[in-house]
Amino acid sequence: MMNNTRLNEPSSISINQLCDFITASDRRKISILKKQKFPSPFMITRYRVARSCMKNFITNNFSYSEILKGIERLQSMKCSTDFEENDRKNSIKALEQFIHIKFPDYFKDKLFTFSKTEQGYILVNDVKIIVSPDIILNWEENGSKCIGGIKFHLSQSNIFDFEKSSFSANMIRVFLEEVLCNNIGHIDENFCLCVDVFGSRVCAASKELSGCKIKLEKACIEIKDLWKTI
């Protein structure tokens, strides 16, 4: 039975589901939005430990010891349910895969600090898009303050192709522009990344965002219209 308390809520979609939506068939689009509008009350976050270790890897100056410690922690973890055991095994796979991911060389010579924002979403055509970057990067270059962001994509069954990875990275840049409004630094597209862990792909945002914004506007108009029918 559908949860009628959600019928009048505004359209809302996560960044990963939006990346799927833009290339989906009409039938698949309906399925994506149904899951967004009527989520399972028993949904549990996957890869919690793995994601935390990946963040620590970045914030501790690309320290592989953070990943190795995470694998050891997961290997010794006691599980009481099948879900916990599957998540433990998949999280180990994710961290083992992450070790081999190559970040751009220009990341290595930067002295980053890290910030957070209370707002994890943007609104486009009355559609709430939940972006929530895993990491927001801050650094100085030639006396100017700069900013970037990273989003980890963790799914063995839904590995992103280049189009989806690029769109996700562009959405990080759009999010930073909308939420921070350039108030704390210049947003550098080279440091706005989608990291698809199981796809071993690191994709930076584009220099030109017009194509992404056209796709975004079109998708949100469609989402808003379809939302009323499901």
Side-chain angles (χ1 to χ4, degrees), residues 114-133:
F114 307 92
S115 59
K116 296 181 179 180
T117 175
E118 292 184 4
Q119 182 175 325
Y121 66 90
I122 59 173
L123 290 172
V124 180
N125 289 328
D126 297 324
V127 175
K128 183 178 182 180
I129 303 170
I130 303 165
V131 181
S132 298

Side-chain angles (χ1 to χ4, degrees), residues 15 104 106-107 147-151 162-177 187-195 202-210 212-213:
I15 183 174
Y106 54 75
F107 263 70
I147 189 166
I150 299 175
K151 184 75 176 180
F162 177 79
E163 182 179 3
K164 291 181 182 179
S165 295
S166 178
F167 188 81
S168 179
N170 287 336
M171 285 302 301
I172 296 296
R173 183 180 170 189
V174 170
F175 171 85
L176 295 176
E177 288 180 351
I187 297 168
D188 189 331
E189 70 276 0
N190 292 314
F191 290 80
C192 297
L193 300 185
C194 168
V195 180
V202 177
C203 191
S206 307
K207 293 185 180 298
E208 175 54 58
L209 280 181
S210 59
C212 169
K213 289 184 176 180

Side-chain angles (χ1 to χ4, degrees), residues 64-199:
Y64 287 96
S65 66
E66 296 293 337
I67 305 302
L68 297 175
K69 285 190 295 185
I71 292 172
E72 291 178 0
R73 175 184 170 189
L74 286 162
Q75 287 174 334
S76 63
M77 187 178 289
K78 303 298 182 183
C79 301
S80 57
T81 66
D82 289 342
F83 173 86
E84 290 177 353
E85 178 61 21
N86 287 332
D87 187 59
R88 185 187 73 85
K89 290 179 179 178
N90 291 331
S91 294
I92 291 172
K93 288 180 183 178
L95 291 177
E96 290 175 340
Q97 188 76 18
F98 187 83
I99 287 175
H100 302 290
I101 291 177
K102 182 174 174 56
F103 283 81
D105 289 338
Y106 54 75
F107 263 70
K108 307 297 175 62
D109 62 354
K110 296 291 184 290
L111 184 61
F112 294 118
T113 57
F114 307 92
S115 59
K116 296 181 179 180
T117 175
E118 292 184 4
Q119 182 175 325
Y121 66 90
I122 59 173
L123 290 172
V124 180
N125 289 328
D126 297 324
V127 175
K128 183 178 182 180
I129 303 170
I130 303 165
V131 181
S132 298
D134 288 298
I135 297 174
I136 296 178
L137 309 162
N138 304 274
W139 73 100
E140 288 196 7
E141 191 164 338
N142 299 322
S144 298
K145 293 182 178 180
C146 301
I147 189 166
I150 299 175
K151 184 75 176 180
F152 298 117
H153 176 58
L154 284 155
S155 175
Q156 293 185 81
S157 60
N158 184 22
I159 293 172
F160 279 177
D161 58 16
F162 177 79
E163 182 179 3
K164 291 181 182 179
S165 295
S166 178
F167 188 81
S168 179
N170 287 336
M171 285 302 301
I172 296 296
R173 183 180 170 189
V174 170
F175 171 85
L176 295 176
E177 288 180 351
E178 292 286 327
V179 174
L180 302 180
C181 303
N182 291 325
N183 288 333
I184 61 173
H186 163 71
I187 297 168
D188 189 331
E189 70 276 0
N190 292 314
F191 290 80
C192 297
L193 300 185
C194 168
V195 180
D196 186 342
V197 175
F198 288 104

